[in-house]
Amino acid sequence: MFLRSFSLALAMALSAPAWADDSPLEGDRGQSRPVIVIANSAADPTLVKLLAALKEPDNQAAFKERQMVLYTVVNTLGKRDGKDLDPQSTMALIRALKLGASADAKVILLGKDGEKKLEHAGPIEAKQLFSTVDQLPASE
């Protein structure tokens, strides 16, 4: 049932007019590196594990040092660094990522240039995100 609702919401988002609100990712371009977690529920192991890891002081410092920002989308409800996004912004975020329908949770890392640097299905370690950022060219 959930997958059907999510697929419908995703289809509606993808068919929205081009003049709809811009993705919140546009404001981060050139400023920060967005990490986007898309999960079917708040209890998804991928989301829970990453949120717990990012609460650790060492990981919090590493996250800020690398100028990263966390977006979460749970059942079409979006947040940026824990603050709610309106439904239009959430759908614009999903559209901007150009993802297909999937039952698995996804973690996506974008560079400051707005390009995907990592797309991972399932749980991921915070250190893997940090390692990916550290391997980016210095100009990035």
Side-chain angles (χ1 to χ4, degrees):
M1 180 72 177
F2 168 76
L3 190 55
R4 226 181 280 154
S5 324
F6 185 73
S7 298
L8 178 60
L10 187 60
M12 289 174 58
L14 294 175
S15 65
W19 46 265
D21 293 339
D22 286 341
S23 165
L25 297 172
E26 289 302 317
D28 291 319
R29 189 173 297 219
Q31 305 296 315
S32 59
R33 296 176 179 93
V35 175
I36 303 106
V37 182
I38 300 178
N40 293 329
S41 78
D44 188 286
T46 301
L47 178 63
V48 171
K49 186 177 178 181
L50 187 59
L51 290 178
L54 293 177
K55 286 183 180 178
E56 295 176 15
D58 291 343
N59 288 339
Q60 280 182 348
F63 197 78
K64 289 179 183 176
E65 177 185 317
R66 290 168 177 82
Q67 300 173 328
M68 299 167 85
V69 62
L70 180 66
Y71 285 89
T72 58
V73 178
V74 178
N75 193 16
T76 70
L77 299 174
K79 292 186 178 192
R80 181 186 188 275
D81 280 341
K83 296 178 183 168
D84 292 338
L85 294 173
D86 61 73
Q88 293 83 7
S89 295
T90 301
M91 290 302 121
L93 170 69
I94 293 170
R95 270 194 314 274
L97 295 172
K98 299 177 183 159
L99 300 173
S102 172
D104 296 332
K106 289 192 178 187
V107 178
I108 300 155
L109 170 67
L110 302 180
K112 285 186 176 181
D113 60 0
E115 298 296 318
K116 286 184 189 176
K117 305 302 179 186
L118 174 75
E119 184 172 338
H120 186 80
I124 188 169
E125 297 289 328
K127 293 184 186 334
Q128 186 177 351
L129 292 172
F130 302 148
S131 170
T132 302
V133 170
D134 293 343
Q135 292 174 13
L136 296 174
S139 62
E140 167 42 31

